[in-house]
Amino acid sequence: MAVEPLSLGVPKPIIDSLPEADDTAAQDMQRAVEGLETRLNRAIEGADTESEAAGYVVDALERLEDHYERYDEFIPELRAWGQSPIYAIAWRNLQGDLILQIEEYEWLKPHIDRERNLRLVEDGIRFGK
């Protein structure tokens, strides 16, 4: 199976939103994105079909969505405690942007929707009941 490998990155506006004195967070983000890209491309490469590859991608998308929600929940909590939520906001925005980056791959688009619908049915969720 020959498909375009994924190429992901940390958008410059997210890096720019971090405090200038802290290069550690930017490096952590870049390492996290590189690790995700490597794992996904390895899984895609090892898949026998595009559908199987999409299954791995949907797993990653679901994790990114969970992380997005978790970081989003931290923001008001940090504000309530009088702490800056800048890192939670940056990490939340990174999760959202990675989701968008992955969904931009044309070969994945039909498979992602199909896989998500399949999972809804397998989980026993039925509409209209």
Side-chain angles (χ1 to χ4, degrees):
M1 176 186 72
V3 294
E4 178 185 6
L6 303 183
S7 178
L8 306 174
V10 181
K12 187 169 177 3
I14 291 175
I15 297 290
D16 291 344
S17 74
L18 296 168
E20 286 184 32
D22 187 5
D23 288 335
T24 306
Q27 291 172 358
D28 288 346
M29 286 180 168
Q30 290 170 335
R31 277 193 297 271
V33 171
E34 289 169 6
L36 173 64
E37 180 183 298
T38 300
R39 286 188 307 276
L40 280 173
N41 283 327
R42 214 176 274 143
I44 290 168
E45 226 175 84
D48 293 329
T49 64
E50 284 186 16
S51 293
E52 183 182 345
Y56 296 121
V57 172
V58 170
D59 288 341
L61 288 172
E62 289 175 353
R63 280 191 308 278
L64 289 168
E65 289 164 354
D66 289 344
H67 292 157
Y68 180 95
E69 290 173 15
R70 192 171 312 129
Y71 285 117
D72 197 51
E73 291 169 2
F74 288 152
I75 294 168
E77 190 174 321
L78 288 167
R79 284 189 176 132
W81 285 97
Q83 296 181 13
S84 172
I86 191 66
Y87 293 107
I89 291 170
W91 279 96
R92 178 203 58 194
N93 292 348
L94 177 60
Q95 306 311 300
D97 196 89
L98 288 170
I99 291 166
L100 293 175
Q101 287 179 50
I102 291 169
E103 290 176 344
E104 285 296 312
Y105 283 86
E106 289 296 323
W107 71 268
L108 274 172
K109 286 180 182 182
H111 297 292
I112 289 173
D113 288 340
R114 192 173 311 124
E115 181 66 24
R116 285 186 184 262
N117 289 333
L118 232 168
R119 289 178 183 199
L120 281 174
V121 172
E122 285 177 358
D123 289 343
I125 298 171
R126 302 284 189 261
F127 296 105
K129 286 192 174 185

